[in-house]
Amino acid sequence: AGVRRLYDRVAPFYDLLTAPYHWTGAARIADEAIRQLRLQPGDTVVDLGTGTGRNLPALSNAVGPDGHVVGVDLSPEMLKRAAARIADHRLPNVELVEGDIATYQPLPGTTAVIATYAIEMLPDYDDVIAHLVNQMPDEGRVALVGLRDPDKWPEWLIRIGSAINRPFGVSKDYRSHRPWEAIERHTTDITYTEAFAGAVYLAAGTTHKPDPVS
């Protein structure tokens, strides 16, 4: 409820507030995460924590008219902005779902899941990622982009960064959250990269079910 209220409150200004991040490279790493999904025409992809829908046009284009894109978010006000983006870009293959990304059940046949700056909010992120991977078919892809505790930053600079991002729900708990390690545990064919001097990560992996024991 607290997260919903926070993002309902910032929704009218969200794109404006986050514009400086995109100018300095956040957009590029999100775009790279979409490429890491290796989407094909006809795929079904889920954008967890879709927010105002920044990822939706690129995802829609990647899966083509026969594909399906699902944007999931907890905040009705953020989804209103996402719906406006869908209308502006004329994206008939995109569906929006109001729901908690911690409990969302992907559609059968979902081949890819992406979350940008969303998974860190979940204290049980490992369970959520494990569940998503278990629900997806073999050779699906999961890509995460988010904030991380930069190993080489001085403490004073980390605190300034946390304060700057507090309006977006960033808390001190983020410092112990390591979703990329969940990608390492639950997927294969892993890619990992960092940006902003280690403050932002991109982790992606392929789903693979263990062979049944004979």
Side-chain angles (χ1 to χ4, degrees):
V3 172
R4 182 186 295 110
R5 287 194 298 270
L6 168 66
Y7 279 93
D8 279 348
R9 187 165 60 248
V10 303
F13 321 105
Y14 184 83
D15 286 340
L16 181 62
L17 291 171
T18 57
Y21 296 88
H22 296 305
W23 298 335
T24 54
R28 288 194 298 274
I29 197 166
D31 291 342
E32 176 59 25
I34 293 173
R35 286 190 288 272
Q36 288 293 335
L37 293 176
R38 304 171 187 170
L39 295 169
Q40 299 295 319
D43 280 349
T44 295
V45 56
V46 175
D47 184 21
L48 293 177
T50 194
T52 60
R54 190 226 168 247
N55 293 334
L56 298 178
L59 293 172
S60 173
N61 183 64
V63 301
D66 294 328
H68 190 199
V69 181
V70 183
V72 183
D73 204 278
L74 191 65
S75 164
E77 293 301 318
M78 295 289 271
L79 288 175
K80 285 181 183 178
R81 275 73 191 175
R85 192 184 300 266
I86 290 169
D88 288 345
H89 288 265
R90 299 180 180 178
L91 308 176
N93 59 347
V94 179
E95 171 191 3
L96 296 178
V97 175
E98 182 182 334
D100 189 341
I101 66 174
T103 57
Y104 175 74
Q105 298 289 328
L107 294 171
T110 295
T111 47
V113 173
I114 186 171
T116 52
Y117 306 102
I119 288 293
E120 289 71 31
M121 291 190 170
L122 307 177
D124 55 347
Y125 58 83
D126 189 90
D127 291 340
V128 172
I129 293 168
H131 174 73
L132 287 170
V133 169
N134 189 55
Q135 296 298 308
M136 294 169 64
D138 277 354
E139 304 304 319
R141 291 286 286 177
V142 180
L144 307 179
V145 172
L147 300 176
R148 60 160 293 164
D149 190 16
D151 296 330
K152 298 181 180 180
W153 283 25
E155 183 65 24
W156 64 267
L157 187 55
I158 293 174
R159 291 183 179 180
I160 290 174
S162 296
I164 291 172
N165 287 287
R166 195 163 294 131
F168 306 113
V170 173
S171 71
K172 62 181 181 181
D173 293 335
Y174 271 47
R175 300 190 65 173
S176 62
H177 290 180
R178 304 171 73 86
W180 61 93
E181 293 184 351
I183 291 292
E184 293 172 356
R185 281 189 289 273
H186 302 298
T187 66
T188 61
D189 186 21
I190 296 157
T191 59
Y192 179 84
T193 189
E194 294 178 359
F196 294 96
V200 174
Y201 72 90
L202 160 58
T206 299
T207 60
H208 176 70
K209 305 295 187 301
D211 295 330
V213 177
S214 57

